[in-house]
Amino acid sequence: PELQFPEQLNCATELLDAHIAAGHGDRPCLIAPGIRWTYRELQQQSDRIAHVLVNDMGVVPGNRVLLRGANHPMLVACWFAVMKVGAIAVGTMPMLRAKELSTMIAIGQVTHALCDVALIDELRAAQQTTPVLRTVRCYHEPSQDGLEAAMARHDAPFMNVDTASDDTCLLAFTSGTTGIPKATMHYHRDVLAICRCFPPYVLRATADDVFMGSPPLAFTFGLGGLVLFPMSIGASTVLLDKVSPPHLLEGVREYGATVLFTAPTSYRAMAAHREALAGTTLRKCVSAGEALPAATRALWRDVTGIELIDGIGATELLHIFISADEARARPGATGTPVSGYRAEVVDDQGQPVPVGVVGNLRVKGPTGCRYLRDNRQRSYVKDGWNYTGDAYAVDADGYFHYHARTDDIIISSGYNIAGPEVENVLLQHPAVAECGVAGVPDTERGQLVKAYIVLRAGFEPDAAMVKVLQDYVKQSVAPYKYPRAVRFVGALPRTSTGKLQRFRLRELDDVSTS
Ligand code: 3UK
């Protein structure tokens, strides 16, 4: 891909204003219940918000502006406004509470915020303890103090600030399951670089496609898949505020979505509604966030006829760097490095391992990790390689096979066991709807393989079922991997992005016995 960028560059100019300049201003851009904005309408909204940021709120280039809201066209308009004024957008998940917001505000030294009024309480509470946050404006707020009223007072076009291509424009917080959250910095050129890698080489959508999906825009999976990628090709995107599997199914039907971005767990849940997917308009379905089990790939193909596009991405790298399109997809493998990226599997000394041997994944490409003031940078990036913390093996054809997070590998009686491998087997059993496999402390074996299982309706969580599932695992993989402990649960702890929270699986055991 062409990844040379001029010295000066504002990603909003390329992704938004260029479409209007090219005469495509009347094409549909953002769709939501009751809303259809063309590219020109999004430009007008963003320009007005940019004026409010500069003139009414006192934002100057380089300020950090927190954005808080469910996926919605107004949130996108706010994001582009922040780009236009040369400030730095700080995305936050809608479900975060005051304490978490305070931490992020302090880490990012966030001075300004734009917030959906429906979510203002936690932000106001955070502001009490973190006064570095000076100025907050709410949208969807009917009063004269609201953002919309201020926007109405500015209708001139906004001249985008002439930012450097390596000015930071985005602070993305990692979904960090442990420890203090880390803010990753991304430049204007990074935002454009990801649009020139995965979309043209793997996704290959067109301007007529209608994008839709579940990840929040605060998560770079969502920002890329639901805003940057469609807009980089002049396509439209549907932003739903409720994104549970039934809402997605309904949304696909109502808006005729053709490209879907969501996580494996969501594909599994949607596939249970075969009738709702009959004759679907979908044609491209991207799965990311966690490993895609072969059983889920097969299930989705069986129900829709569509081969899933799996891709591993990370907040540190902004978006997907290993993937495979429908024609090259291989069950059990994530794929090969996306054009523009290199990937390798190395041992703990940084030496490449032989074919088939599990080691540490490292990646190099046009985007990479820059933690804001955090010395964990040193362990994530060495010699220009990004160490993602994932254990992978490469096969003879160069396909990358996911094993586990390196810190999630279970060591039981001296055996190394990857939880996801056991999960993949269990998911093939008709009784299993969802499962998570983790290592729990055990005096005899060091760790014990334990499976936390959500059964499908109609199956009994009894001792006989435990035995059935244990035998099932022993029959398909080496018997030492079978779950010696099994616990039936109603739901698995997941992040708002669909990622299984393994540490919380283990916490379930702290409060009660298995
Ligand atoms: C895991 C996967 C196996 C893996 C993300 C697409 O998930 C994203 O970013 P996060 O920072 O987490 C990164 C970690 O998640 N992972 C993600 N996708 C896969 N493991 N197969 C996959 N397909 O451990 C990785 O290191 O939350 C995903 C685009 C942008 C993103 N930020």
Side-chain angles (χ1 to χ4, degrees), residues 135-459:
T135 315
V136 180
R137 277 280 168 143
C138 287
Y139 59 89
H140 292 162
E141 146 86 84
S143 86
Q144 276 307 302
D145 302 329
L147 180 62
E148 285 88 347
M151 287 165 70
R153 296 191 283 268
H154 299 280
D155 66 353
F158 185 87
M159 274 276 270
N160 295 352
V161 169
D162 189 23
T163 46
S165 58
D166 57 0
D167 275 347
T168 298
C169 66
L170 182 67
L171 269 193
F173 279 87
T174 61
S175 43
T177 45
T178 47
I180 308 162
K182 289 165 277 189
T184 64
M185 300 185 280
H186 299 284
Y187 299 161
H188 282 270
R189 68 166 147 86
D190 299 329
V191 165
L192 297 177
I194 59 164
C195 297
R196 297 188 192 175
C197 295
F198 177 80
Y201 290 95
V202 184
L203 186 63
R204 293 196 305 275
T206 73
D208 292 324
D209 274 307
V210 180
F211 288 57
M212 179 182 281
S214 65
L217 302 187
F219 182 28
T220 64
F221 180 35
L223 180 69
L226 302 179
V227 176
L228 309 176
F229 294 171
M231 289 187 61
S232 71
I233 56 169
S236 62
T237 184
V238 182
L239 297 169
L240 301 174
D241 60 343
K242 296 201 184 77
V243 291
S244 71
H247 288 108
L248 283 182
L249 284 170
E250 197 190 302
V252 167
R253 286 169 74 101
E254 176 156 357
Y255 299 100
T258 58
V259 177
L260 188 64
F261 281 78
T262 187
T265 172
S266 169
Y267 283 110
R268 281 193 289 278
M270 281 189 283
H273 302 269
R274 198 175 272 272
E275 64 307 325
L277 282 159
T280 182
T281 50
L282 288 173
R283 61 182 206 98
K284 293 192 175 268
C285 298
V286 179
S287 170
E290 65 179 3
L292 175 66
T296 306
R297 176 183 285 291
L299 176 67
W300 191 251
R301 192 196 311 115
D302 175 50
V303 171
T304 64
I306 301 168
E307 192 70 53
L308 281 168
I309 301 173
D310 185 12
I312 178 173
T315 307
E316 286 85 349
L317 282 125
L318 199 52
H319 221 272
I320 293 173
F321 47 85
I322 296 175
S323 185
D325 66 19
E326 302 89 329
R328 296 179 57 257
R330 213 175 254 206
T334 313
T336 57
V338 171
S339 256
Y341 290 89
R342 286 166 65 197
E344 289 181 354
V345 175
V346 296
D347 62 21
D348 289 341
Q349 283 68 50
Q351 295 305 310
V353 299
V355 163
V357 175
V358 177
N360 306 312
L361 179 68
R362 67 180 192 186
V363 187
K364 204 180 249 200
T367 57
C369 177
R370 298 176 209 105
Y371 288 133
L372 171 69
R373 278 186 284 107
D374 195 310
N375 49 28
R376 284 172 286 187
Q377 175 75 14
R378 280 189 214 116
S379 45
Y380 201 97
V381 183
K382 295 174 202 139
D383 285 333
W385 287 100
N386 294 268
Y387 289 74
T388 67
D390 294 293
Y392 260 86
V394 185
D395 70 19
D397 300 323
Y399 277 76
F400 285 69
H401 296 251
Y402 180 80
H403 278 254
R405 292 287 305 168
T406 41
D407 48 14
D408 268 341
I409 291 182
I410 304 164
I411 303 177
S412 186
S413 304
Y415 289 109
N416 282 2
I417 301 161
E421 184 185 1
V422 183
E423 291 163 12
N424 292 352
V425 175
L426 286 166
L427 281 168
Q428 274 154 29
H429 193 279
V432 176
E434 285 291 315
C435 70
V437 171
V440 295
D442 182 69
T443 42
E444 201 185 319
R445 297 171 198 276
Q447 282 186 304
L448 204 65
V449 179
K450 180 158 186 177
Y452 301 79
I453 294 174
V454 181
L455 289 176
R456 286 190 197 281
F459 292 92

